């Protein structure tokens, strides 16, 4: 905790701010009310919350669903950058690293958009500049016509070696899945390396990352079972969690769902995850399982942040919860725009 | 000669007693002050953090921040008792 000037006070200050912000997030009953509202009413409700400034700013340029999507994305990016500003000492280092996932998402969006011939303005609307590449950097990348030039402009960035290695094959095949997998694998490997480098608080950061990796690997296993993908499961495996690569492959070969769940239960140690697997009977829809696993992850993260109230945990929990609030609002808005039934939309919400 | 030595010893003992009282009173106020400071550091940081996010909490967190001051008051009472009683 200590290891910076000012002792633990800055940590207490930031973690309290995160707790207050977390308490201000949209609650379950508000989502339930929004499920029965029209898109205009939802926009009005969102305008009364933390998204007011963005909705007001963008109301002249966007309408309806686009207004909600762009406003909530902008708000999230602004919020994450603000958190990075106020976070002290080593926590800033960990938070910055954790936010790098948005760089991966943005770069992949730009590259995909560029290869599909999408207009820069359209690509820009869906970018979320919450990582180390800010709006100016992303604008600069969007200014480039060729995808190769975009990759070249990232020379010096942590993503560059993987991009330079994998992009030509991705462009040729037209599929970015391997590139995406490799980028995320490197992202997690970098975070683990940083957490294990001996920095104070690194062990707590590591436990958070390991939970994330475990849940991701379990989700991948369920997805692989549902889709019958003829791809090497090792390609999708993320190292650093509780599952070893061989175990991951072995679990993937188990055909019977109950047998698979029982085998999985012997390997995972997180209480919430065990309870979830315990309750999982028969072969449910993979989407429901994924939403359930996300809830488990958030629940476990919440427990960790309560055990370590003045560490990196409360900050990361807030980042995750904010991310899912934005996902939920987007799902709600998209669902309403597509005239889906409230029950159907609620299946996609992580509440 | 012996009477003089006894009188001087009694004087020294009396003076030392007064000194010890002063030392005790000083420690009572000083140490409780440090204790209150340490306690207020945590509460104060959290209070400023909470107020930065929600200004309505100012009144409540102000009260919470000054609660450790009671420790100093106890110390002051002990010091006064030592000094005057």
């Amino acid at each position: 905790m200590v290891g910076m000037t000012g002792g633990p006070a800055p940590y207490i200050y930031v973690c309290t701010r995160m707790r207050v912000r977390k308490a201000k997030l949209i609650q379950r009953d508000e989502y339930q009310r929004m499920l029965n509202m029209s898109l205009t009413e939802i926009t009005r409700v969102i305008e009364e919350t933390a998204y007011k400034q963005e909705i007001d700013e963008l109301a002249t340029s966007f309408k309806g669903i686009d207004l909600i999507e762009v406003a909530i994305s902008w708000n999230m990016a602004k919020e994450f950058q603000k958190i990075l500003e106020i976070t002290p000492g080593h926590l800033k280092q960990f938070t910055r690293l954790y936010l790098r996932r948005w760089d991966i998402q943005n770069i992949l969006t730009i590259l995909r958009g560029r290869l599909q011939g999408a207009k820069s303005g359209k690509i820009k609307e869906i970018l979320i500049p919450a990582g180390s590449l800010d709006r100016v950097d992303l604008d600069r990348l969007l200014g480039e016509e060729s995808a190769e030039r975009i990759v070249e402009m990232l020379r010096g960035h942590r993503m560059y070696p993987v991009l330079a290695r994998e992009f030509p094959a991705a462009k040729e095949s037209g599929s970015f899945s391997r590139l995406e997998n490799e980028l995320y694998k490197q992202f997690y490997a970098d975070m683990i390396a940083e957490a294990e480098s001996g920095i104070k608080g690194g062990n707590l950061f590591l436990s958070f990352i390991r939970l994330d990796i475990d849940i991701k690997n379990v989700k991948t296993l369920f997805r692989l079972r549902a889709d019958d993908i003829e791809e090497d499961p090792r390609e999708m495996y993320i190292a650093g969690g509780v599952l070893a690569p061989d175990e991951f492959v072995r679990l993937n070969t188990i055909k019977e769902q109950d047998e698979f769940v029982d085998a999985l239960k012997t390997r995972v140690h997180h209480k919430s995850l065990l309870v979830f697997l315990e309750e999982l009977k028969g072969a449910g829809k993979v989407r429901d399982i994924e939403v359930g696993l996300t809830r488990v992850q958030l629940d476990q993260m919440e427990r960790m942040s309560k055990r370590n109230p003045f560490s990196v945990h409360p900050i990361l929990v807030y980042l995750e919860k904010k991310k899912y609030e934005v996902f939920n609002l987007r799902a709600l808005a998209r669902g309403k725009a597509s005239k889906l039934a409230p029950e159907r939309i609620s299946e996609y919400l992580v509440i | 000669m012996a009477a003089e030595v006894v009188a001087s010893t009694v004087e020294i003992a009396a003076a030392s007693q007064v000194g010890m009282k002063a030392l005790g009173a000083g420690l009572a106020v000083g140490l409780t002050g440090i204790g209150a400071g340490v306690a207020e550091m945590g509460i104060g940081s959290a209070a400023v953090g909470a107020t930065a996010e929600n200004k309505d909490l100012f009144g409540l967190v102000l009260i919470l921040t000054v609660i450790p001051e009671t420790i100093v008051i106890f110390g002051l009472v002990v010091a006064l008792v030592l000094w005057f009683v």
Side-chain angles (χ1 to χ4, degrees), chain B residues 17-29:
Chain B
Q17 212 176 12
V18 174
M20 283 301 198
K21 267 189 181 178
L23 192 65
L27 282 173
V29 176

Side-chain angles (χ1 to χ4, degrees), chain A residues 30 34 37 40-49:
Chain A
E30 284 176 82
M34 276 195 252
M37 289 178 186
T40 326
E41 286 172 317
I42 292 173
T43 314
R44 211 173 312 129
V45 171
I46 294 174
E47 205 180 350
E48 285 165 12
T49 60

Side-chain angles (χ1 to χ4, degrees), chain A residues 21-28 30-31 34 42 45-46 49-51 68 71-73 75-76 79-80 102 294 298 317-333 348-351:
Chain A
R21 281 183 188 217
K22 197 171 71 187
K24 282 189 201 167
L25 292 176
I26 298 173
Q27 302 297 314
R28 174 187 288 268
E30 284 176 82
Y31 283 121
M34 276 195 252
I42 292 173
V45 171
I46 294 174
T49 60
Y51 303 94
I68 294 181
I72 58 179
S73 298
N75 176 274
M76 181 166 71
E79 187 92 355
F80 287 1
W102 296 101
T294 308
L298 290 176
V317 167
Y318 175 69
L319 295 181
E320 282 298 301
K321 291 212 160 182
K322 178 75 185 177
K323 181 178 89 181
Y324 282 109
E325 179 180 278
V326 167
F327 284 3
N328 285 343
L329 289 175
R330 189 175 295 148
L332 248 170
Y348 291 87
L349 303 184
V350 182
I351 305 174

Side-chain angles (χ1 to χ4, degrees), chain A residues 6-10 12-14 16-18 20-21 24 86, chain B residues 41-54 57:
Chain A
I12 299 172
Y13 167 75
V14 168
T16 311
R17 285 192 76 164
M18 292 306 111
V20 178
R21 281 183 188 217
K24 282 189 201 167
I86 61 169
Chain B
M41 176 184 65
I43 303 173
S45 310
V48 175
T51 314
E53 291 298 328
N54 185 357
L57 291 171

